[in-house]
Amino acid sequence: MKRTDLLHNHLTLALWELRAGTGRPLLLLHGLGERTAPEALDAVESWPGPVHGLDLTGHGASDVPKGGGYYCEILMADADAALAALQPDGDGPGVTVVGRGLGGYVALLIAGARPGIVRGAVIADGPGLHGGGPGPTSPMLFRPEQDGSTPDPVALVELATDVRPPDYARTFAWQASALSGLDTAIAISAVNRPPWLAEVASQPGVVEAELPAALELFARP
């Protein structure tokens, strides 16, 4: 795998080229506690263009922030930095995003935040898909040790308990559908249905499809 280092939020992120090619890039976002791996190509071998994977903050070969402070919006900004690297002039074919678990939620956020660049997002099952539920829970005190290695234990705790209100997720799904110009902007390949994802599934411009069918849909010009 070929690695490119991206500077984001005073941290270095690892963007991996899993397969070279021409055409629209595919960006893979891993699940909670995971990292980009060569085996990720197996699930997307039918994609006709180049394939890249991003190690999110606190994961894989990317840096660990001191003291934690992990939010899905920070990870969305990680993905935004990757989009800028894959589409430097902002005038290319766009990027399709596939996310597992936590990466699926981040894919939804970036699809809604960058509807002009993200040409389809796929949400697949994987660790961290549920998050902490639709509303705040009882306060908790935790003090995991940080030694600079990944996955960062602080990330595992904070991102596993982050609040994901369904109406918040719905807003990003609506933005992706209404502002991208795509008939279908989001495909759900996940079998699990946490409340936020059930809400997304009910929105216009969102379809349910197994991963190969979703990739075929978004690979079309």
Side-chain angles (χ1 to χ4, degrees), residues 1-5 14-20 36 51-53:
M1 300 192 301
K2 178 182 177 183
R3 171 177 168 174
T4 299
D5 288 338
L15 177 66
W16 300 94
E17 181 183 82
L18 300 176
R19 187 183 71 209
T36 301
V51 181
H52 299 262

Side-chain angles (χ1 to χ4, degrees), residues 17-151:
E17 181 183 82
L18 300 176
R19 187 183 71 209
T22 58
R24 182 183 304 138
L26 185 69
L27 175 63
L28 306 181
L29 303 177
H30 57 74
L32 180 62
E34 297 181 335
R35 63 185 300 162
T36 301
E39 307 87 75
L41 273 175
D42 296 341
V44 297
E45 60 180 350
S46 64
W47 185 258
V51 181
H52 299 262
L54 176 67
D55 286 349
L56 298 168
T57 296
H59 292 74
S62 293
D63 284 349
V64 173
K66 294 181 179 179
Y70 291 93
Y71 304 95
C72 286
E73 289 75 14
I74 292 290
L75 306 187
M76 174 178 65
D78 289 353
D80 195 36
L83 293 182
L86 297 176
Q87 197 84 86
D89 56 5
D91 194 31
V95 179
T96 297
V97 183
V98 174
R100 276 175 42 83
L102 170 68
Y105 186 64
V106 175
L108 168 70
L109 298 184
I110 197 63
R114 291 287 184 262
I117 298 176
V118 176
R119 313 313 290 166
V122 183
I123 302 171
D125 282 310
L129 184 70
H130 283 254
T137 58
S138 300
M140 58 180 291
L141 179 65
F142 62 95
R143 192 175 295 172
E145 294 295 329
Q146 280 186 295
D147 62 3
S149 63
T150 60

